[in-house]
Amino acid sequence: MGRLRDTLEAFEKAMKRFKSALLKAKEEECSELYEFFRDSAIQRFEFTYELLWKCVKVYLYEVHGVVCNSPRMCLREYLGMSGEAFSEEEGIGLLRLVDLRNLTAHTYDEELAEEIFRELEVAYSLMEKVLYALRR
């Protein structure tokens, strides 16, 4: 369980930085620095998302002996094993994170960057719930 613990610690640190970036971007919404902070929050989401699915992957393997190799596969397996811990809506939201992460490669498109940013608060909440569940 050492690998899971280490991955969870990295995930937790990334979550703190992600939250800080989100708050700073919200704070600067009417400033000329907004785009910089918005883009920073999107990049923090990318880092945090990578740690999220890797934590889930390690958890599934170490706790349940399940091998998964892609983010979507890992999240589906995790949701299937988590029972009532996540509502159907939350499950759909977690799987949406995969698509959202894939969209981040196109943040040069201002409209798309705004769309992604608008979804980050919900993304943060879902990631926080997974972190809490994995910590138990």
Side-chain angles (χ1 to χ4, degrees):
M1 292 275 215
R3 185 167 169 226
L4 179 58
R5 185 187 63 244
D6 293 345
T7 310
L8 279 169
E9 284 178 19
F11 179 36
E12 189 168 21
K13 285 179 186 175
M15 286 290 290
K16 288 177 184 173
R17 288 178 158 170
F18 179 29
K19 185 172 188 162
S20 292
L22 269 175
L23 292 172
K24 187 65 177 172
K26 289 280 185 191
E27 193 178 288
E28 297 292 335
E29 261 182 320
C30 295
S31 155
E32 60 188 43
L33 295 174
Y34 168 70
E35 287 177 2
F36 173 79
F37 288 110
R38 178 202 63 202
D39 294 350
S40 296
I42 291 170
Q43 190 165 38
R44 286 289 171 199
F45 163 73
E46 289 176 296
F47 299 153
T48 308
Y49 165 83
E50 293 300 325
L51 285 165
L52 164 81
W53 89 263
K54 288 174 182 166
C55 277
V56 169
K57 179 180 180 173
V58 172
Y59 166 80
L60 289 171
Y61 181 73
E62 289 189 2
V63 176
H64 298 285
V66 173
V67 175
C68 59
N69 295 312
S70 74
R72 191 175 307 276
M73 176 194 264
C74 289
L75 290 174
R76 276 197 180 124
E77 285 288 335
Y78 176 71
L79 287 167
M81 292 182 171
S82 64
E84 303 284 319
F86 294 88
S87 69
E88 184 177 340
E89 182 180 338
E90 289 170 327
I92 291 167
L94 275 174
L95 293 173
R96 168 74 179 134
L97 296 182
V98 177
D99 299 328
L100 198 58
R101 168 58 180 94
N102 290 337
L103 289 174
T104 62
H106 305 286
T107 53
Y108 53 82
D109 177 336
E110 284 297 311
E111 207 171 291
L112 184 58
E114 278 301 312
E115 179 185 323
I116 292 167
F117 183 72
R118 284 192 300 271
E119 292 190 51
L120 292 185
E121 283 187 71
V122 170
Y124 179 86
S125 295
L126 291 168
M127 293 170 140
E128 187 175 49
K129 187 166 184 175
V130 172
L131 176 62
Y132 177 76
L134 291 174
R135 280 255 180 236
R136 285 191 272 140

